[in-house]
Amino acid sequence: MMTNQTDEKTLEYQRKTEALYAADNFKKRFYPADPFDTGVLVAAELLPIDDLVAVMQAVEALDSDGNATFLNTLILHRGEKHPSGLMIRVNPLWLNCFRTRKREIYEYVECYLFEDAAAVAQQRKKIIDLGDSQLCEDLIEAEEALCIKPGDIELIVDSIAIES
């Protein structure tokens, strides 16, 4: 025979399990938004457009579900706590990917400015081989900023073929 104490423990366990499942499902559905304790605050300006849209969709979902508590932890507006501007709580993995992308682009620019064409070609190939669409977009922006013309890119790509 089950006691009231056992029933309460079972119900509490079920509530916790359901809450964890719901949070995990939310994180997957609205990545990189993470309004939970695991999220990390970053400036909204750092997010690419597609990630910013995902966060705003998360805001809409939280609002329509009546989860104002989580809504208020996902986006923090300019104010006393954050005078620098809009802050968004994102998944820590997003922040790691962001840093990695910036490091790869930094290494590419450094190679372009200080190394020979073969080193540049290797770094460019490394970036492309990672298969990260945002990183490839960042590579294009870096090449535009460096005033690298399509003909220059062909020379860089040819350096890969010569080396192989």
Side-chain angles (χ1 to χ4, degrees):
M1 183 169 135
M2 291 187 87
T3 65
N4 278 346
Q5 189 176 16
T6 306
D7 288 343
E8 287 176 21
K9 286 183 180 181
T10 303
L11 287 173
E12 183 180 336
Y13 175 77
Q14 287 175 341
R15 279 192 294 268
K16 286 181 181 179
T17 304
E18 288 172 5
L20 289 173
Y21 175 76
D24 189 49
N25 188 36
F26 180 91
K27 288 179 186 184
K28 287 178 185 172
R29 186 171 170 213
F30 296 108
Y31 181 85
D34 187 350
F36 309 102
D37 292 337
T38 53
V40 178
L41 282 172
V42 297
E45 298 86 23
L46 297 178
L47 274 73
I49 299 301
D50 56 340
D51 288 342
L52 190 58
V53 168
V55 170
M56 296 312 292
Q57 288 171 336
V59 167
E60 180 183 35
L62 288 171
D63 189 39
S64 65
D65 290 344
N67 291 318
T69 303
F70 290 117
L71 180 64
N72 293 334
T73 61
L74 179 59
I75 296 183
L76 293 122
H77 294 276
R78 180 177 304 193
E80 292 176 19
K81 290 185 179 180
H82 301 284
S84 61
L86 188 65
M87 301 294 287
I88 295 178
R89 195 172 304 276
V90 297
N91 186 309
L93 296 175
W94 179 90
L95 188 58
N96 290 342
C97 288
F98 177 81
R99 288 177 178 152
T100 300
R101 287 181 187 127
K102 293 301 176 192
R103 185 173 41 251
E104 292 294 337
I105 295 302
Y106 168 81
E107 289 173 2
Y108 177 76
V109 171
E110 185 178 47
C111 275
Y112 183 80
L113 294 174
F114 302 111
E115 302 288 333
D116 61 5
V120 174
Q122 284 178 336
Q123 186 64 28
R124 188 175 198 283
K125 182 179 182 332
K126 176 183 165 188
I127 289 171
I128 291 170
D129 288 348
L130 289 172
D132 182 329
S133 60
Q134 182 62 49
L135 184 56
C136 289
E137 193 172 309
D138 292 346
L139 175 65
I140 291 168
E141 286 183 33
E143 290 176 342
E144 288 174 358
L146 290 167
C147 299
I148 299 174
K149 297 179 177 99
D152 298 338
I153 293 172
E154 289 175 19
L155 290 174
I156 292 169
V157 171
D158 289 344
S159 294
I160 296 172
I162 293 169
E163 210 173 83
S164 299

